[in-house]
């Protein structure tokens, strides 16, 4: 075989006969499951709808940390169907920007090739990405009011595309909560007002970080002033659009974000309105502020716990309503005790060392008893996470909402007071002195008698030393003609008879009774216009509370008799 040159061999290999007939893939497909990946900066783009429009206030601190330690928390990324590159999925635009800066400054490969967690794009990918960025931005540096408002507005548009209908504020609040970013409906209302009326006039001030309280004051001023304009404006003023007037006033104060004052906006607005309406300034100011107060009362707008007062707070301050008991207010009282109380309680001579220890011991004992009381009211653990609680606390801080605090509210919300031989101050709590079978039966029998007394059937309840503590007698003719009495006896009989011995004389209280009437007894008739023959009257609230207490004591009695605890030790023995 003759020798062949290298060039000839190359030409033959590159000829069409050696070309592959298989299709060439343009690019690798994305993973279909959650996957750890290492990608380069040129493959990754920021999320376009990121709510954060201004520099993260923690930017420098985050950059210094990444420079020294590297990327401790890899960003979550995803890829839209058909796209070539990747995008940040939920929080991480700030870190991406910092990495690009550090790569430009240092050319260090650890800032160019970064580990990421890839998550596949879902059918609700856009909504998941946006709500994820909202939540993550709140946790890392927070968002300004207007950034949060615009982010929620973008979410509303995506939800409306998904559902195919226009959403109410309540529906939007429900959808945001279901996707992990809870925002109360009143706060959504303020956000939409800010976007519609404030953003066109004072974008510089809003993006500089104008807070919720000032936004709330401005929107309240606008509503009150618009109502005053509608009442006092004559036909000659109908051609003047109030929204334009309000925004023209606002524009005057958009150049100095650091010195922005709602009071100055109010003074200018009322001054221009007074000139146009030919009214005295003070008269118009009073009408606007008074209308704002009445509007808050009529619309049930809860006042902020901060001393916001009226819009004219510098001239006409309102008394501050004492805030509800919360963990923050409790801590504040502990940290900043009243000076007067210190002076009144401080002894003339310094306390001795044993006295100090005694006080500390009493305090520790009181804290332990308080914690034990709270634990006794925990029927089941709350299904939540620290992450969700953190987001809820951050949103509440910005919205001014007060989150329900179980530890502070439980000892106030559950206790009640009902007149009885054994007064009920707490449906759930069982005192140690009561937590014994014979005493429980005594209380149960007394509550059954008092419940029957409400319908005149107290003589038909007999205490019993076994079972749950009572039984029902035979129904006499008088009771059989009283539907309410008959139904109460049927209810009490149903509770007691399963625990009576087989030899115990049977009762016929359930004879000729429609068990369906029990609903009317406990809940009342749904439609008062319906003529329900012989329907029993609804059990009054006092008897209903006694019934709840009876059930609580009965369950505890049965647990003691069986040697078990409530709900598999969820509630410890009192």
């Amino acid at each position: 075989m003759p020798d062949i040159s290298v060039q000839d061999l190359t030409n033959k290999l590159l000829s069409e006969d050696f070309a592959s007939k298989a299709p060439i893939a343009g690019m690798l497909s994305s993973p279909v499951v959650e996957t750890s990946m290492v990608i380069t900066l040129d493959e990754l783009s920021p999320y376009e709808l990121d709510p954060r429009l201004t520099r993260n206030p923690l930017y420098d601190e985050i950059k210094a940390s990444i420079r020294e330690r590297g990327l401790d928390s890899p960003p979550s990324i995803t890829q839209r169907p058909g796209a070539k590159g990747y995008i940040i999925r939920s929080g991480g635009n700030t870190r991406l920007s910092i990495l690009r800066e550090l790569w430009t400054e240092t050319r260090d490969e650890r800032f160019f090739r970064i580990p990421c967690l890839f998550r596949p794009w879902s059918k609700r990918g856009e909504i998941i990405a946006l709500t994820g960025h909202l939540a993550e931005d709140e946790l890392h540096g927070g968002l300004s009011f207007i950034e949060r408002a615009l982010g929620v507005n973008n979410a509303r548009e995506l939800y409306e595309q998904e559902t195919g209908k226009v959403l109410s504020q309540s529906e939007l609040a429900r959808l945001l909560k279901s996707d992990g970013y809870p925002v109360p409906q009143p706060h959504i209302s303020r956000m939409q007002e800010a976007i519609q009326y404030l953003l066109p006039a004072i974008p510089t001030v809003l993006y500089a970080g104008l807070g919720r309280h000032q936004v709330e004051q401005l929107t309240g001023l606008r509503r009150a002033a618009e109502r005053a304009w509608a009442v006092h404006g004559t036909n000659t003023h109908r051609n003047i659009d109030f929204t334009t007037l309000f925004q023209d006033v606002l524009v005057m104060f958009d150049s100095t974000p650091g010195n922005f004052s709602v009071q100055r906006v109010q003074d200018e607005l009322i001054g221009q309105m007074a000139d146009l309406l030919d009214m005295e300034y003070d008269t118009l100011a009073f009408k606007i502020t008074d209308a704002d107060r009445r509007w808050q009362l009529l619309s049930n707008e809860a006042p902020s716990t901060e001393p916001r007062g009226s819009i004219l707070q510098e001239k006409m301050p309102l008394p501050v309503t004492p805030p509800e008991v919360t963990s923050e207010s409790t801590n504040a009282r502990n940290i900043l005790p009243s000076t007067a109380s210190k002076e009144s309680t401080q002894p003339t001579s310094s306390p001795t060392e044993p006295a100090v220890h005694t006080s500390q011991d009493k305090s520790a004992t009181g804290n332990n008893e308080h914690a034990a009381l709270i634990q006794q009211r925990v029927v089941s653990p709350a299904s939540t996470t620290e992450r969700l609680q953190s987001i809820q606390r951050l949103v509440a801080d910005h919205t001014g909402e007060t989150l329900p605090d179980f530890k502070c509210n439980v000892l106030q919300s559950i206790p009640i007071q009902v007149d009885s031989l054994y007064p009920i101050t707490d449906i759930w709590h069982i005192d140690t002195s009561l937590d014994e079978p014979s005493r429980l039966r005594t209380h149960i029998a007394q509550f059954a008698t008092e419940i029957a007394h409400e319908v005149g059937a107290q003589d038909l309840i007999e205490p019993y030393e076994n079972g749950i503590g009572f039984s029902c007698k035979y129904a006499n003719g008088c009771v059989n003609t009283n539907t309410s009495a008959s139904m109460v006896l049927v209810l009490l009989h149903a509770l007691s008879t399963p625990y009576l011995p087989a030899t115990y004389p049977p009762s016929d209280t359930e004879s000729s009774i429609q068990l369906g009437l029990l609903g009317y007894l406990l809940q009342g008739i749904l439609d008062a216009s319906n003529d329900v023959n012989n329907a029993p009257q609804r059990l009054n609230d006092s008897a209903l509370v006694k019934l709840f207490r009876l059930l609580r004591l009965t369950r505890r009695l049965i647990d003691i008799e069986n040697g078990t605890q409530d709900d598999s030790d969820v509630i410890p023995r009192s």
Side-chain angles (χ1 to χ4, degrees), residues 343-541:
E343 294 176 353
S344 62
T345 58
Q346 185 175 1
T348 55
S349 61
S350 60
T352 60
E353 190 68 20
V356 173
H357 286 303
T358 302
S359 175
Q360 292 174 351
D361 293 341
K362 288 182 178 179
S363 176
T365 302
N367 291 337
N368 292 338
E369 292 177 354
H370 186 267
L373 286 174
I374 292 176
Q375 183 59 32
Q376 290 166 12
R377 288 157 173 82
V378 179
V379 178
S380 60
S383 56
T384 185
T385 62
E386 291 185 5
R387 174 185 172 80
L388 179 58
Q389 290 176 350
S390 299
I391 294 173
Q392 290 173 335
R393 284 193 295 268
L394 286 167
V395 173
D397 289 341
H398 287 292
T399 62
E401 305 293 335
T402 300
L403 287 177
D405 191 318
F406 176 79
K407 291 183 179 180
C408 291
N409 297 338
V410 64
L411 300 181
Q412 302 175 26
S413 60
I414 294 180
I416 55 175
Q417 180 73 47
V418 174
D419 292 332
S420 172
L421 179 62
Y422 305 117
I424 302 173
T425 56
D426 191 318
I427 291 177
W428 196 258
H429 176 63
I430 299 175
D431 192 75
T432 305
S433 61
L434 175 60
D435 199 20
E436 183 270 323
S438 62
R439 294 213 60 195
L440 287 171
R441 286 190 175 93
T442 301
H443 281 240
I444 292 169
Q446 179 61 32
F447 288 133
T449 302
E450 292 179 3
I451 293 170
H453 177 77
E454 300 289 345
V455 292
Q458 64 274 15
D459 295 334
L460 300 180
I461 303 298
E462 285 187 335
Y464 185 57
E465 62 182 8
N466 295 312
I468 63 170
F470 73 92
S471 64
C472 299
K473 294 182 183 178
Y474 282 94
N476 56 28
C478 177
V479 172
N480 284 334
T481 60
N482 185 331
T483 306
S484 297
S486 300
M487 294 310 304
V488 167
L489 287 175
V490 167
L491 176 61
L492 295 174
H493 175 74
L495 296 175
S496 62
T497 191
Y499 308 99
L500 298 175
T503 57
Y504 196 86
S507 171
D508 66 349
T509 54
E510 72 274 18
S511 61
S512 303
I513 295 297
Q514 299 180 24
L515 296 180
L517 297 180
L518 278 174
Y520 294 141
L521 176 71
L522 296 175
Q523 301 161 168
I525 301 173
L526 182 62
D527 188 352
S529 63
N530 289 345
D531 183 16
V532 181
N533 295 325
N534 299 323
Q537 293 185 353
R538 186 171 73 174
L539 206 61
N540 62 37
D541 292 343

Side-chain angles (χ1 to χ4, degrees), residues 3-4 16-17 20 53 79 91 102 110 133 244 247 253 278 291 350 359 367-368 389 438 473 496 512 525 532 546 568:
D3 295 335
I4 185 171
E16 293 183 0
D17 294 338
S20 173
L53 302 175
Q79 187 178 48
L102 291 173
R110 64 193 179 107
H133 276 273
T244 303
Q247 291 180 340
F253 302 93
D278 195 20
S350 60
S359 175
N367 291 337
N368 292 338
Q389 290 176 350
S438 62
K473 294 182 183 178
S496 62
S512 303
I525 301 173
V532 181
K546 293 172 183 176
S568 301

Side-chain angles (χ1 to χ4, degrees), residues 228-229 232 237 245 266-285 288:
W229 181 267
H232 298 285
H237 303 110
L245 172 63
Q266 176 189 269
D267 289 342
E268 181 66 27
L269 177 64
I270 294 178
Q272 292 196 21
M273 289 177 62
D275 290 340
L276 292 171
L277 298 176
D278 195 20
M279 294 179 63
E280 291 291 334
Y281 176 94
D282 291 339
T283 301
L284 182 59
I288 290 177

